[in-house]
């Protein structure tokens, strides 16, 4: 009998404006205390702010590229062999790497104090899009 719990995946929650699962996931990461409409306003304002300086046709291109750039490929897990504990590098699954990338982007945007969340999220997304910033360093 397995020791681990069975993993139940929730169905994708798509956002109303772009009908994208990626933006819906980002809205869920930004949301606190169940205030989805406030999280939607923050994310949509951040997307609009991030697309101001870029000449792309699709507004989701910046978000998609930012998440792709900040996805980790390898993570270390502790493996106990005998009496010693070793850090073993393992490849990260696709859904976990996407979740980690979004978590890092939102976490570092929230850590920027003194500016509104929509501006901080837009700045963090733009830095990840350009391949620099805190989320890229964390990767």
């Amino acid at each position: 009998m397995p020791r681990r719990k069975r993993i139940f995946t929730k169905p994708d929650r798509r956002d109303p404006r772009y009908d994208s699962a990626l933006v819906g996931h980002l809205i869920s990461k930004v949301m606190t205390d169940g205030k989805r409409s406030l999280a939607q306003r923050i994310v949509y304002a951040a997307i609009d702010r991030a697309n101001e300086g870029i000449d792309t046709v699709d507004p989701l291109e910046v978000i998609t590229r930012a998440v792709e750039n900040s996805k980790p490929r390898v993570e270390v897990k502790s493996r106990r062999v005998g009496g010693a504990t070793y850090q073993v590098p393992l490849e990260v699954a696709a859904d976990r790497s996407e979740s980690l990338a979004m978590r890092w982007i939102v976490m570092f945007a929230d850590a920027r104090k003194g500016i509104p969340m929509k501006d901080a999220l837009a700045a963090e997304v733009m830095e990840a899009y350009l391949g620099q910033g805190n989320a890229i360093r964390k990767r």
Side-chain angles (χ1 to χ4, degrees):
M1 193 160 144
R3 293 173 184 242
R4 296 182 184 213
K5 291 192 320 186
R6 206 176 308 151
I7 299 172
F8 296 104
T9 58
K10 293 181 181 179
D12 286 341
R13 187 170 201 137
R14 305 177 86 75
D15 75 298
R17 184 186 289 184
Y18 299 109
D19 195 39
S20 167
L22 187 74
V23 177
H25 195 170
L26 185 61
I27 288 170
S28 295
K29 290 285 183 202
V30 171
M31 180 173 60
T32 56
D33 297 331
K35 299 187 177 189
R36 183 169 296 278
S37 61
L38 178 62
Q40 284 176 346
R41 283 198 310 251
I42 290 170
V43 170
Y44 293 150
I47 290 173
D48 294 340
R49 179 83 34 97
N51 282 327
E52 285 176 356
I54 306 297
D55 295 334
T56 58
V57 178
D58 186 21
L60 294 180
E61 180 68 28
V62 176
I63 295 285
T64 307
R65 182 85 56 80
V67 171
E68 286 294 322
N69 286 347
S70 22
K71 278 185 182 179
R73 279 117 183 107
V74 177
E75 70 179 342
V76 292
K77 291 218 173 178
S78 298
R79 181 73 55 200
R80 188 168 171 86
V81 179
T85 305
Y86 298 104
Q87 297 288 324
V88 179
L90 296 174
E91 248 182 73
V92 184
D95 54 343
R96 176 162 168 77
S97 66
E98 180 180 298
S99 181
L100 283 172
M102 283 203 209
R103 186 183 311 162
W104 293 340
I105 288 172
V106 171
M107 179 183 68
F108 287 120
D110 195 32
R112 292 181 181 217
K113 300 298 180 194
I115 58 174
M117 182 61 177
K118 60 183 176 185
D119 297 337
L121 187 60
E124 200 63 44
V125 164
M126 280 306 299
E127 286 180 359
Y129 174 74
L130 297 173
Q132 54 197 15
N134 295 325
I136 302 295
R137 255 184 268 129
K138 176 88 172 176
R139 176 183 69 158

